[in-house]
């Protein structure tokens, strides 16, 4: 998170008494907590009424990833057991033009960052201010990220992005959350650049690093002067130099049928896998053996073992239909294939959040589905965008320090950031704002003290399995700066539950929480 963490409490608690509700507490004296200054809760208030605002996604649907933030064009990288997902910040455009506006992308000069280790509860890390790092940009769209341990022993992250439709830029960091810097001070690829040929829109980068540590970059858009609907002639690939900031080969064409945009690369079992979004045109011309014509604006893929050999690329099939085919609104399409915790996931965007809000304008939101990939044959099963999403792959440890901005859904929470844009916590927007955290595991015969780092005035209540259920813990506070507050439960919690955090008032900010 880029901010100090409070050490959570270690205390001695006498035998608990019969549990009778949130206002019932033990009267035994708790030994002083830590030097960070946790204080005991104030007198409890009554039960908080959950706001009538609907939760932005239902418990049976894990998509979209975020019900709070519009985001598109995903890419991802794994680091220290977490999967970090980055995307185009449609929310920046939305905040500029409002509910009645249109997403024309020109206001977007930042990227969004989420992360997870369980695939259903997502941490919102805020945005990367690309304009601040690289002042020369027009816009920043459609990122692609890779990482590699370099000679200094650090993991270096290379984040390529579209500079509007005019080219590709790159920013770098040694942490997935930055700080990010612009090592070139100029685009890596740009329109009319020598060597790229007739590629009017050299954007939408897709990067990968193969098993030899060699980097590759694909990109492209538009239609070449001698191109056709069937073969636009603008998809490109190049080998990157050792510094990941230069080129070690000429640019080669990938002859991608009905190519439109959204280039991405994977390296699987010695094979380069190129994925792209094909266009909306009627599939009149074809002639490719052993492959069906792709659906309109679907995602397709090609494979090769020699990426610079134009004629070596083999078209396989389309593997992700347009979201409109699933009733989620027709839009452009952009996906990222990623293996995490021994499963393959397909990240993409839909208009699902926009539809839930009963609005229009083309504001997209990130989703993910599981997909089967045969690593021997490189066969990717066809799939489609699906609100149901994916399964939780691990539980949330209630005894760990858990960030407030990590949750499954809310009924309208917001986020607080500092001057640097770092998220400092999740913020209630009204009385009854509630968060849902999926699959929280409480340790048997433990979980007898609840603590949180909070600021604002009011109360927070914890409920299990239903936002309207009896609360099992609560804290009350009144301070304008972050303060650790704890409450002693009269009942020890165990088992696995969906946990709801309910706020009594607007403008309460939760940094982190823990049960001990």
């Amino acid at each position: 998170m880029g901010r100090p963490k409070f050490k959570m409490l270690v205390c001695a608690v006498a035998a608990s008494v019969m549990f009778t509700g949130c206002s019932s507490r033990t009267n035994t004296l708790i030994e002083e907590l830590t030097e960070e200054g946790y204080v005991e809760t104030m007198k409890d208030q009554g039960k908080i009424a959950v706001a009538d605002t609907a939760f932005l996604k239902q418990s049976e649907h894990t998509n979209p990833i975020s019900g709070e933030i519009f985001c598109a064009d995903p890419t991802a990288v794994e680091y220290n057991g977490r999967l970090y997902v980055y995307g185009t910040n449609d929310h920046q455009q939305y905040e500029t033009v409002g509910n009645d506006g249109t997403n024309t992308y020109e206001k977007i000069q930042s990227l969004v960052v989420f992360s997870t280790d369980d695939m259903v509860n997502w941490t919102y890390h805020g945005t990367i201010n690309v304009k601040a790092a690289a002042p020369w940009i027009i816009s920043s769209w459609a990122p692609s990220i890779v990482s590699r341990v370099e000679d200094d022993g650090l993991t270096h992250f290379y984040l390529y992005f579209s500079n509007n439709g005019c080219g590709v830029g790159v920013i770098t960091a040694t942490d997935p959350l930055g700080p990010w810097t612009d090592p070139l001070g100029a685009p890596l690829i740009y329109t009319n650049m020598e060597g790229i040929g007739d590629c009017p829109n050299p954007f939408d980068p897709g990067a990968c690093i193969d098993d030899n540590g060699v980097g590759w970059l694909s990109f492209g858009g538009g239609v070449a002067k001698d191109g056709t609907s069937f073969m636009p002639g603008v998809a490109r690939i190049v080998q990157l130099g050792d510094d990941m900031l230069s080129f070690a080969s000429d640019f080669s064409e990938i002859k991608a049928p009905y190519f439109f945009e959204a280039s991405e690369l994977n390296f699987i079992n010695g094979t380069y896998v190129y994925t792209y979004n094909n266009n909306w045109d009627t599939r009149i011309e074809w002639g490719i053996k052993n492959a069906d014509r792709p659906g309109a604006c679907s995602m397709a893929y090609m494979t090769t073992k020699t990426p610079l050999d134009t004629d070596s690329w083999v078209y396989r099939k389309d593997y992700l239909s347009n979201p409109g085919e699933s009733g989620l609104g027709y839009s452009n399409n952009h996906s990222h294939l990623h293996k995490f915790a021994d499963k393959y996931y397909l990240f993409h965007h839909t208009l699902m959040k926009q539809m839930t809000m009963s609005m229009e304008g083309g504001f997209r939101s990130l989703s993910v589905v599981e997909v089967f990939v045969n690593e021997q044959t490189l066969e990717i099963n066809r799939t489609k965008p699906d609100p149901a999403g994916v399964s939780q792959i691990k539980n949330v440890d209630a005894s760990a320090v858990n960030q407030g901005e990590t949750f499954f859904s809310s009924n309208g929470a917001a986020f607080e950031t500092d001057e640097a844009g770092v998220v400092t916590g999740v913020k209630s927007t009204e009385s009854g704002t509630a968060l849902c955290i999926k699959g929280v595991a409480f340790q048997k015969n433990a979980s007898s003290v609840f603590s949180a780092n909070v600021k604002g005035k009011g109360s927070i209540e914890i409920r299990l399995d239903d936002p309207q259920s009896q609360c099992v813990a609560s804290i009350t506070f009144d301070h304008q700066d972050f303060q650790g507050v704890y409450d002693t439960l009269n009942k020890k919690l165990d088992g696995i539950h969906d946990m709801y955090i309910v706020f009594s008032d607007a403008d309460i900010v939760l940094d982190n929480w823990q049960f001990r």
Side-chain angles (χ1 to χ4, degrees):
M1 287 303 304
R3 63 180 188 275
K5 301 289 188 265
F6 278 81
K7 293 180 182 178
M8 288 298 177
L9 50 124
V10 178
C11 57
V13 183
S16 61
V17 298
M18 183 72 69
F19 178 77
T20 58
C22 272
S23 61
S24 177
R25 301 165 44 84
T26 58
N27 295 317
T28 53
L29 180 65
I30 299 178
E31 294 178 4
E32 185 174 353
L33 300 177
T34 65
E35 65 274 14
E36 277 86 345
Y38 275 80
V39 298
E40 192 171 10
T41 182
M42 299 167 62
K43 183 178 179 181
D44 297 318
Q45 297 179 346
K47 182 174 180 179
I48 305 167
V50 177
D52 291 335
T53 308
F55 278 77
L56 296 173
K57 56 182 179 180
Q58 301 305 307
S59 60
E60 66 272 19
H61 291 171
T62 65
N63 282 326
I65 284 172
S66 172
E68 294 71 34
I69 303 295
F70 288 112
C71 187
D73 308 323
T75 186
V77 67
E78 183 177 350
Y79 183 67
N80 286 347
R82 292 190 70 82
L83 188 64
Y84 292 81
V85 176
Y86 306 74
T88 302
N89 189 8
D90 279 21
H91 211 80
Q92 186 173 22
Q93 185 85 20
Y94 170 70
E95 289 179 326
T96 303
V97 302
N99 286 30
D100 298 326
T102 301
N103 189 9
T104 48
Y105 314 128
E106 81 280 356
K107 303 295 185 182
I108 302 173
Q109 297 180 327
S110 58
L111 301 170
V112 172
V113 190
F114 298 96
S115 76
T116 187
D117 64 357
D118 65 16
M119 294 304 296
V120 299
N121 294 296
W122 290 87
T123 302
Y124 176 58
H125 295 287
T127 61
I128 300 170
N129 189 338
V130 182
K131 182 67 173 178
W136 51 266
I137 71 164
I138 302 170
S139 306
S140 56
W141 307 334
S144 184
I145 189 169
V146 291
S147 67
R148 189 175 64 185
V149 178
E150 303 292 8
D151 291 341
D152 59 4
L154 300 175
T155 299
H156 287 245
F157 298 85
Y158 302 91
L159 182 56
Y160 305 89
F161 63 92
S162 298
N163 176 32
N164 199 276
C166 305
V168 173
V170 57
I171 52 178
T172 61
T174 54
D175 185 279
L177 300 180
W180 298 91
T181 58
D182 172 17
L184 298 178
L188 175 64
I189 294 169
Y190 51 89
T191 303
N192 298 321
M193 180 179 178
E194 183 178 356
I196 67 172
D198 187 3
C199 179
N201 299 114
F203 76 143
D204 276 13
C208 78
I209 297 176
D210 64 25
D211 286 347
N212 294 317
V214 176
W216 299 84
L217 188 70
S218 59
F219 60 92
V223 180
K225 293 177 181 177
D226 60 351
T228 66
S229 171
F230 171 62
M231 197 58 66
V234 293
R236 300 286 185 267
I237 189 168
V238 65
Q239 181 181 329
L240 292 168
D242 289 342
D243 59 3
M244 301 293 288
L245 308 172
S246 59
F247 307 115
S249 75
D250 293 334
F251 296 89
S252 294
E253 181 182 353
I254 300 175
K255 294 179 179 178
Y258 292 106
F259 174 83
F260 184 33
E261 57 186 9
S263 294
E264 264 286 12
L265 284 173
N266 286 84
F267 186 75
I268 304 173
N269 191 25
T271 302
Y272 299 85
V273 180
Y274 173 68
T275 65
Y276 69 97
N277 179 210
N278 55 68
N279 60 35
W280 295 94
D281 298 346
T282 303
R283 311 316 195 207
I284 297 174
E285 187 177 356
W286 191 239
I288 296 178
K289 297 180 180 179
N290 302 317
D292 297 330
R293 290 173 170 82
C297 203
S298 60
M299 297 300 302
Y301 78 105
M302 305 176 72
T303 59
T304 187
K305 291 184 179 294
T306 53
L308 296 177
D309 180 355
T310 296
D311 294 327
S312 69
W313 286 96
V314 176
Y315 178 86
R316 304 295 290 264
K317 66 180 181 183
D318 60 338
Y319 63 91
L320 179 71
S321 57
N322 192 275
E325 300 296 326
S326 298
L328 301 176
Y330 285 95
S331 67
N332 61 0
N333 215 345
H334 198 126
S335 69
H336 173 76
L337 179 68
H338 203 97
K339 188 177 185 180
F340 178 65
D342 295 323
K343 292 183 178 181
Y344 277 97
Y345 295 97
L346 196 58
F347 293 89
H348 56 284
H349 61 238
T350 75
L351 299 177
M352 195 183 313
K353 171 175 162 57
Q354 173 184 279
M355 295 172 67
T356 301
M357 296 172 65
S358 299
M359 56 175 281
E360 297 181 351
F363 298 97
R364 302 160 298 178
S365 51
L366 292 186
S367 290
V368 60
V369 292
E370 190 174 342
V371 63
F372 176 75
V373 178
N374 186 321
E375 294 183 342
Q376 300 304 312
T377 65
L378 277 302
E379 183 74 14
I380 303 175
N381 279 9
R382 280 192 175 96
T383 190
K384 62 182 181 180
D386 186 350
V390 299
S391 300
Q392 188 167 2
I393 61 174
K394 62 178 291 190
N395 295 318
V396 176
D397 182 2
S399 68
V401 178
N402 292 283
Q403 295 306 126
E405 59 272 25
T406 302
F407 55 90
F408 169 75
S409 186
S410 80
N411 61 351
F415 301 95
E416 183 182 78
T417 59
D418 62 18
E419 293 181 358
V422 176
V423 176
T424 55
V426 62
K427 185 176 183 179
S428 58
T429 57
E430 61 178 324
S431 174
T433 296
L435 311 176
C436 175
I437 300 99
K438 296 283 284 185
V440 179
F442 295 86
Q443 297 180 5
K444 190 173 183 180
N445 296 324
S447 307
S448 59
V449 175
F450 171 71
S451 62
N453 191 32
V454 292
K455 68 177 180 179
K457 181 178 181 179
S459 299
I460 286 177
E461 292 184 357
I462 305 300
R463 301 171 189 170
L464 302 182
D465 302 318
D466 187 321
Q468 305 293 349
S469 64
Q470 184 181 41
C471 69
V472 297
S474 69
I475 53 173
T476 301
F477 42 85
D478 183 2
H479 38 253
Q480 297 308 304
D481 296 315
F482 280 118
Q483 172 71 60
V485 182
Y486 72 89
D487 185 25
T488 306
L489 284 63
N490 288 332
K491 178 181 179 180
K492 294 182 178 180
L493 306 176
D494 60 21
I496 299 171
H497 303 271
D498 291 346
M499 189 179 98
Y500 291 86
I501 302 177
V502 187
F503 299 81
S504 67
D505 296 272
D507 300 323
I508 294 172
V509 183
L510 171 65
D511 175 10
N512 56 45
W513 60 269
Q514 182 185 32
F515 280 87
R516 297 290 285 183

